[in-house]
Each structure stands twice: as C-alpha cells, then as structure tokens.
C-alpha cells in the first residue's frame, strides 16, 4: 500500500510510521511522500534523512479548496492509497475527504469524542480528567470527528502538566498509530485475496 503522510511540524508520528515501514513492522507498504503545508516544518528534514520524498504545499492565501486541490494532485500523482495526517494542523475540505473515501486517518491526543480541537492534553488537565489518551480515527469533514479505529488510554497524575502528560501520550501515539496503519494494510491485503 502506498502511504502519503501530511505534517505541519515536528513529525514524530510520521517518523514512527516511516521507521515501522522500513523495519518491516508494517509490511507490504511504502511511504511514498511526506507533504507539509509549512516550509519550516522540522519533520521535513527527518523524512529526507530517511530517504522519503518531501513536498511543501503552502496555502499562500489561497482558498482551502484550492490548497487542498494541489495536495490531492501531489498524492494522486504518486498513487497514494492511504493518507495519514500526523500533526497536520488544517481541517480538510469536503473535496479532499471525498477524493480518498475511508482512506484518510488521523491521530489525536485524547480519547475522542472527549477533548477535540487544540491543546487536548491541556483540556484534559483543566477538566480534571483522571484518564485520557490518544485516538486514531478516520477523517471526515468535521474536526477530530469520524469513526474511531484504535484508542490507547493514559492515566493523568495529580502533578501532571500539559508537557508531562503530552510526553506520555506521545509515546502511546507512536505505537498506536503504527498498529492502526499495520492493521489497515493487512485488511486491504486480505480483501485483495478474498
Ligand atoms: C500529536 O500530539 C498529534 O496527536 C497531534 O499533533 C501532534 C503532532 O506531533 N495531532 P508530531 O508532529 O507527530 O510530533
């Protein structure tokens, strides 16, 4: 399966997926491109170091639909079959979602539907939650919405700050995202032979 990953920043989840594909933990897959909407995203260099092609598609004042159209075209040019959002900080337009039906997934640092949107870890602490975690889900036109694929729980300690909680959730994100992608690739392979 050809995978395209969209990032806007650090790219640690992207690295987890790329490394799992390279090590064979995710078999029968290839990360064909990493696309960023920010030219200075730190993840771009990490992708290049791993030999993955990178493309920058900045918004440059265009409408969301026009910006997305260029990203869709970059993905389609490379026959991408699965799109992984990994810290991609933009809501996708309906045309993007429709171009890859059930083929776009995202990772979010909470147990959705709890705490959607920005600063989910901070939201969990502010709400006094004892339990939070991370969610891999299909992407639809709404923010942090769409069918849940996998979740992983993380306990919140009394003395947690956003930073300490984020770090513990991030560790879980890396393993749960790899597991979700591996499952999807296996399912796709099984369906080809059924
Ligand atoms: C992660 O916490 C992810 O859940 C959220 O944005 C952050 C991205 O981190 N959507 P990274 O760029 O993958 O390191």
């Amino acid at each position: 399966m050809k995978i395209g990953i969209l990032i806007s920043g650090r790219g640690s989840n992207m690295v987890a997926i790329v490394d799992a594909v390279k090590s064979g933990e995710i078999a029968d897959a290839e990360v064909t491109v990493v696309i960023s909407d920010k030219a200075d995203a730190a993840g771009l260099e990490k992708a290049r170091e791993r030999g993955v092609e990178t493309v920058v598609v900045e918004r440059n004042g265009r409408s969301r639909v026009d910006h997305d159209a260029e990203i869709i075209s970059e993905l389609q040019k490379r026959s991408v079959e699965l799109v992984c959002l990994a810290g991609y900080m933009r809501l996708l337009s309906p045309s993007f979602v429709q171009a890859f039906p059930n083929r776009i997934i995202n990772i979010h640092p909470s147990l959705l539907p709890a705490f959607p949107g920005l600063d989910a870890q901070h939201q969990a602490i502010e709400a006094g939650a004892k339990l939070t975690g991370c969610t891999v889900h299909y992407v639809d036109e709404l923010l942090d919405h769409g069918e849940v694929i996998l979740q992983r729980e993380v306990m919140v300690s009394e003395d947690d700050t956003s930073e300490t909680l984020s770090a513990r959730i991030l560790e879980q994100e890396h393993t749960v995202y790899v597991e979700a992608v591996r499952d999807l690739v296996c399912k796709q392979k099984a369906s080809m032979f059924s």
Side-chain angles (χ1 to χ4, degrees), residues 9-14 86-87 89 106-109 121 170 173-174:
R10 179 177 57 186
S12 69
N13 280 287
M14 173 275 295
M89 299 304 286
N106 181 42
I107 180 112
H108 181 77
Q121 304 92 332
L170 192 64
E173 290 185 37
H174 297 161

Side-chain angles (χ1 to χ4, degrees), residues 105-107 134-138 147-151 176-177 180:
I105 63 176
N106 181 42
I107 180 112
C134 47
T135 303
V136 181
H137 63 97
Y138 286 106
E147 191 191 332
V148 170
I149 300 171
L150 270 183
Q151 292 186 307
V176 80
Y177 212 175

Side-chain angles (χ1 to χ4, degrees), residues 10 14 34 57-58 60 64 74 80 88 96 120 130 132 143-144 150 155 167 171:
R10 179 177 57 186
M14 173 275 295
V34 168
V57 183
E58 288 184 298
N60 289 336
R64 188 193 302 165
E74 294 293 343
V80 165
Y88 183 66
F96 197 151
K130 300 285 177 222
T132 183
L143 180 67
D144 300 326
L150 270 183
M155 300 297 295
E171 264 180 51

Side-chain angles (χ1 to χ4, degrees), residues 37-184:
D37 64 322
K38 302 265 184 251
D40 60 356
L44 287 168
E45 188 51 37
K46 297 175 192 167
R48 285 185 210 117
E49 280 166 11
R50 287 166 172 76
V52 179
E53 186 190 4
T54 60
V55 177
V56 174
V57 183
E58 288 184 298
R59 176 117 177 219
N60 289 336
R62 288 179 288 179
S63 70
R64 188 193 302 165
V65 170
D66 288 350
H67 181 226
D68 281 359
E70 188 180 341
I71 297 175
I72 294 168
S73 145
E74 294 293 343
L75 293 166
Q76 289 177 339
K77 249 192 254 175
R78 294 167 180 83
S79 307
V80 165
E81 299 163 275
L82 177 67
V83 182
C84 298
L85 308 187
Y88 183 66
M89 299 304 286
R90 289 186 189 279
L91 195 60
L92 303 191
S93 57
S95 51
F96 197 151
V97 175
Q98 284 149 22
F100 294 92
N102 282 320
R103 292 297 175 124
I104 311 175
I105 63 176
N106 181 42
I107 180 112
H108 181 77
S110 75
L111 297 175
L112 290 173
F115 312 128
L118 288 177
D119 294 328
Q121 304 92 332
H122 180 70
Q123 290 186 52
I125 289 176
E126 286 292 295
K130 300 285 177 222
L131 186 71
T132 183
C134 47
T135 303
V136 181
H137 63 97
Y138 286 106
V139 171
D140 63 16
E141 286 119 41
L142 305 175
L143 180 67
D144 300 326
H145 195 260
E147 191 191 332
V148 170
I149 300 171
L150 270 183
Q151 292 186 307
R152 191 76 37 89
E153 293 177 351
V154 174
M155 300 297 295
V156 184
S157 324
E158 297 263 306
D159 57 356
D160 257 327
T161 62
S162 283
E163 288 72 31
T164 58
L165 181 59
S166 299
R168 287 208 314 291
I169 294 175
L170 192 64
E171 264 180 51
Q172 298 303 317
E173 290 185 37
H174 297 161
T175 58
V176 80
Y177 212 175
V178 165
E179 200 179 316
V181 172
R182 199 185 57 211
D183 288 357
L184 288 174

